[in-house]
Amino acid sequence: MRRALDEIEHERAETLPLRRAEAVERAVAMAGRGGRTAVAEFLGLGVNTIDKMLHLARSGPAVMVRSLPPGTFRRLLAAEVSEVAPLARSQWGALAWLIRGIAFDEMWIDAPGVLLAEEVEDADLDAGFAPARIAAACRSWSRVQALAVIDCCLRSDLDPLPTSTEPGAAGAND
């Protein structure tokens, strides 16, 4: 719930000033000559403040541009991460530790699961974590699932990741 409230606050902080500025721009245009001064007096603001709002309205993105609803990307990642094959909590912890040490670049977009599997295989993880099982899991993920797992690990939020208590998954490290 906190994440949703933060998202609402973020949207409000970015959208409201822009919408307000666009409304001021429309009012100035309707008022015609001397509109800046008339709108400033009506709102009880200085002409400099109106000028700043006009600049924001003219330089900001068009509100009429259609886009996905706010938070769509975050909800997509949450949906995808819930469908990955479960690993033991200790394995997720080891993978998160490894991920936080990786420098990600554009190359990771094409095959994040494969690249992550290679990182797991190259790492010197303790055998108790069953690195081969972690690497196989990484390879099985779709592109979006792998990016969703990476996102959770980078944010140190392992709770959404499915866990398993399967004997081969937990090892001695759970």
Side-chain angles (χ1 to χ4, degrees), residues 2-48:
R2 182 72 197 145
R3 196 176 298 152
L5 293 175
D6 288 343
E7 186 177 301
I8 290 168
E9 186 61 31
H10 173 75
E11 285 299 314
R12 189 175 73 164
E14 286 193 7
T15 305
L16 287 181
L18 179 59
R19 287 191 179 164
R20 196 173 299 128
E22 289 170 341
V24 166
E25 181 184 36
R26 284 191 301 276
V28 167
M30 283 190 259
R33 187 175 179 96
R36 289 173 37 243
T37 305
V39 171
E41 287 176 14
F42 180 78
L43 295 175
L45 300 172
V47 175
N48 287 340

Side-chain angles (χ1 to χ4, degrees), residues 14 16 21 58 62 72 76 97 102 109 120 132 141 153 157-158 164:
E14 286 193 7
L16 287 181
R58 292 172 183 153
T72 299
L76 168 67
W97 173 81
I102 296 172
I109 294 295
V120 169
W141 297 331
C153 292
D157 184 15
L158 304 184
S164 168

Side-chain angles (χ1 to χ4, degrees), residues 42-112:
F42 180 78
L43 295 175
L45 300 172
V47 175
N48 287 340
T49 303
I50 296 298
D51 287 342
K52 289 177 186 175
M53 294 175 90
L54 292 173
H55 176 73
L56 174 63
R58 292 172 183 153
S59 63
V63 173
M64 299 306 290
V65 173
R66 293 182 50 109
S67 65
L68 293 170
T72 299
F73 181 67
R74 179 71 48 212
R75 288 191 299 275
L76 168 67
L77 292 181
E80 289 294 322
V81 82
S82 70
E83 295 184 12
V84 299
L87 291 174
R89 186 76 173 168
S90 61
Q91 290 174 311
W92 286 124
L95 186 59
W97 173 81
L98 185 65
I99 286 174
R100 286 190 293 272
I102 296 172
F104 293 96
D105 59 18
E106 298 83 21
M107 184 175 74
W108 282 81
I109 294 295
D110 293 328

